[in-house]
Amino acid sequence: MSDSETLERFKTGNVTFGVVGLGYVGLPLAVEVGKAGLRVLGLDVQPQVVETVNRGDSHIQDVPAADVAALRDAGVLEATTDPARLAECDVISICVPTPLGKTRDPDISYVLDAGRVIAQVLRPGQLVVLESTTYPGTTREVLLPLFEERGFTVGTDFFLCFSPERVDPGNPVWHTRNTPKVIGGITAACREAGVAVYERFIDEMVPVSSPEAAEMTKLLENTFRAVNIALVNETAQIADRLGVDVWEVIEAAATKPFGFMKFTPGPGLGGHCIPIDPHYLSWKMRTMDYRTRFIELASEVNAEMPRFVVGKVQEALNEAEKPVKGSRVLVLGAAYKPNIDDVRESPAIEILSELGRLGARAAYHDPYIPEIREDGREWTGVDLTDEALSEADCVVLVTDHKVFDLERIFRLSRILVDSRNATASIADRLGAGSPQRWIVKGLALGS
Ligand SMILES: NC(=O)c1ccc[n+]([C@@H]2O[C@H](COP(=O)([O-])OP(=O)(O)OC[C@H]3O[C@@H](n4cnc5c(N)ncnc54)[C@H](O)[C@@H]3O)[C@@H](O)[C@H]2O)c1
């Protein structure tokens, strides 16, 4: 098959698109591909995930079950636990987890597992795209050798790219289709093949010169966020000591029409991306005897924030002449950010643990997370009744889900530590007449 025929097949032909890993990234991708009319085969190691998709349901909050059901009814989407079926696919996208190991080094075992099963079914004309976030060099150093061992030549027999996933769970505006997608291929032909297929379901592709450039782009984006969040979190701690309202300062700075980008302080970082991805780059650079100072410092500052919030609880209870020990503390929101059901790496876990360590009777409520099980630590959520709010000695708003009735929370809490400054306007309106004696507005203690 000539190069132009191959390209034409990816651009307009009948292509079966395989997605390895049907999680937060893989399922939205599979649905987008299916909506564009391509046949999709999703592979996952978890039978319950496969069953959910095959009965036309969704386990991912951002993906409506109706979308999955429509694609199932149309016979476009299928899920399987059988890796041998990847042989049916012309394109295979890898969307498996890339966590950190116990020593906070990259754990690319999932990428390796996926690469090995793909290597077994690899045939001429296939395109493989790694989408999992990882350190520069993974596509070329880890995946490519697995495929070349089969005796195939990259760029002619098969094609290999890296294209980072930028999906932002819970974002109502930017989703898989309308978020520009960066892609780099091992060869120019790989990149062209990747762009040709992805342009069928992504509005704007951004080709770069190599997989390493694409891998590093993703790490720059997430390091940029981690560092700026750390800067503003440190600013919150500085402002607190100076007795200055950090929120007022941020709002004032944000009026500058150029050269300033607004970030807001909070209880700490969470999720599968921002707290983890920069460490992939740190690790890679350590192997080259280079220390990534910004990443280490940002990680240190952000990791302090859950304790800073607990410190505010302590201060607020102190004002009410109560010790933390034995006090009832109700944590509102366990997810790492608003309007999602993801508790991975959430600062709420550290806050609950620290409150428990200090002897508080800590409980939490999150409408999206009925229970938390993390490293042997377990909590079961409580209902958000009027009693739960009014009987708590202190309520801590950790995640300001849109569904929270903030005015009710504000009115009924005796003490409210609002780590997101979500109740600022309510506090301004009701402050003086409100029942609580001490309000911690956006981390700054005030009366
Ligand atoms: N969640 C996000 O917001 C987000 C955003 C951008 C990038 N990413 C990156 O995308 C990648 C995937 O993240 P996620 O949040 O979708 O993870 P996830 O845990 O939600 O989903 C991963 C899925 O892969 C499956 N899986 C694991 N090993 C497998 C294997 N060998 N074969 C088949 N399936 C396998 C798991 O069962 C799971 O269903 C990670 O590298 C992550 O850093 C995530």
Side-chain angles (χ1 to χ4, degrees):
M1 198 186 279
S2 74
D3 282 0
S4 59
E5 270 175 275
T6 308
L7 210 54
E8 206 44 47
R9 182 169 61 91
F10 283 131
K11 253 186 205 150
T12 55
N14 275 338
V15 164
T16 297
F17 196 105
V19 177
V20 182
L22 293 171
Y24 285 92
V25 164
L27 189 62
L29 175 72
V31 166
E32 217 49 72
V33 176
K35 280 185 185 168
L38 279 69
R39 186 177 160 246
V40 191
L41 181 67
L43 173 76
D44 205 289
V45 287
Q46 296 185 63
Q48 68 274 28
V49 166
V50 168
E51 280 158 28
T52 305
V53 172
N54 282 343
R55 68 161 186 273
D57 207 347
S58 168
H59 58 293
I60 300 293
Q61 207 183 5
D62 276 350
V63 177
D67 286 7
V68 180
L71 295 175
R72 287 291 295 147
D73 290 347
V76 176
L77 171 68
E78 193 189 344
T80 180
T81 52
D82 179 6
R85 290 201 52 199
L86 288 178
E88 297 166 30
C89 302
D90 305 285
V91 183
I92 303 172
S93 157
I94 305 174
C95 304
V96 296
T98 44
L100 294 175
K102 285 261 178 277
T103 52
R104 295 194 81 70
D105 283 349
D107 173 3
I108 55 156
S109 59
Y110 300 89
V111 173
L112 265 173
D113 287 348
R116 286 191 189 113
V117 297
I118 295 168
Q120 280 169 22
V121 300
L122 197 70
R123 56 173 168 76
Q126 272 180 328
L127 163 68
V128 180
V129 182
L130 176 61
E131 300 208 25
S132 302
T133 308
T134 185
Y135 58 82
T138 311
T139 310
R140 193 184 301 274
E141 293 158 15
V142 176
L143 285 182
L144 183 60
L146 293 175
F147 303 151
E148 283 180 332
E149 271 171 21
R150 289 281 318 277
F152 295 126
T153 304
V154 69
T156 48
D157 296 335
F158 74 100
F159 307 93
L160 178 59
C161 294
F162 181 81
S163 180
E165 184 49 67
R166 287 168 156 171
V167 70
D168 180 20
N171 192 317
V173 178
W174 299 105
H175 38 87
T176 304
R177 184 172 188 111
N178 67 357
T179 305
K181 198 155 177 16
V182 173
I183 189 164
I186 298 279
T187 68
C190 294
R191 185 183 63 218
E192 280 170 28
V195 170
V197 178
Y198 276 71
E199 270 182 348
R200 294 171 77 165
F201 51 88
I202 301 285
D203 292 345
E204 186 188 343
M205 291 303 291
V206 183
V208 293
S209 64
S210 65
E212 289 77 11
E215 288 160 336
M216 188 146 168
T217 301
K218 174 74 187 177
L219 296 183
L220 170 62
E221 289 165 14
N222 282 1
T223 302
F224 174 86
R225 286 191 64 75
V227 167
N228 279 286
I229 292 168
L231 174 64
V232 82
N233 277 339
E234 183 169 67
T235 306
Q237 300 195 40
I238 292 169
D240 183 57
R241 286 183 191 212
L242 290 173
V244 174
D245 180 348
V246 69
W247 299 90
E248 187 186 3
V249 172
I250 292 168
E251 288 309 327
T255 60
K256 186 178 178 187
F258 47 87
F260 184 83
M261 186 182 276
K262 182 175 159 183
F263 282 80
T264 49
L269 288 185
H272 187 330
C273 295
I274 315 287
I276 290 175
D277 302 346
H279 293 286
Y280 269 65
L281 191 54
S282 299
W283 173 85
K284 175 72 185 179
M285 296 321 295
R286 275 204 303 279
T287 68
M288 302 176 81
D289 211 14
Y290 182 91
R291 199 165 66 86
T292 52
R293 289 150 291 174
F294 273 105
I295 293 174
E296 308 305 330
L297 183 58
S299 169
E300 206 177 291
V301 172
N302 287 326
E304 282 168 8
M305 292 312 285
R307 280 186 186 226
F308 183 66
V309 172
V310 172
K312 287 291 156 198
V313 172
Q314 242 168 335
E315 274 182 53
L317 285 169
N318 193 43
E319 290 294 340
E321 292 168 16
K322 287 193 171 156
V324 177
K325 192 166 182 170
S327 287
R328 280 161 303 191
V329 182
L330 177 62
V331 168
L332 296 185
Y336 76 87
K337 68 175 182 175
N339 315 319
I340 62 160
D341 62 357
D342 193 348
V343 74
R344 289 178 294 183
E345 308 278 325
S346 174
I349 296 171
E350 286 316 309
I351 291 171
L352 283 164
S353 297
E354 184 61 10
L355 287 168
R357 195 185 68 78
L358 294 173
R361 289 152 65 196
Y364 86 93
H365 167 81
D366 190 305
Y368 304 115
I369 299 167
E371 57 185 30
I372 305 173
R373 301 203 186 295
E374 181 93 1
D375 285 340
R377 296 172 290 182
E378 290 184 10
W379 295 270
T380 303
V382 298
D383 291 338
L384 192 58
T385 59
D386 286 358
E387 293 71 42
L389 281 168
S390 59
E391 286 171 7
D393 296 299
C394 180
V395 173
V396 192
L397 185 61
V398 171
T399 310
D400 50 334
H401 291 304
K402 230 186 261 162
V403 294
F404 280 150
D405 179 346
L406 292 176
E407 185 149 341
R408 170 175 168 248
I409 291 167
F410 188 90
R411 281 182 187 279
L412 291 174
S413 313
R414 283 193 243 171
I415 296 173
L416 178 63
V417 174
D418 174 0
S419 73
R420 304 272 186 176
N421 205 32
T423 55
S425 60
I426 300 169
D428 286 346
R429 198 155 34 87
L430 305 179
S434 66
Q436 70 265 53
R437 280 185 55 213
W438 294 95
I439 309 158
V440 181
K441 278 204 301 178
L443 299 178
L445 193 67
S447 56

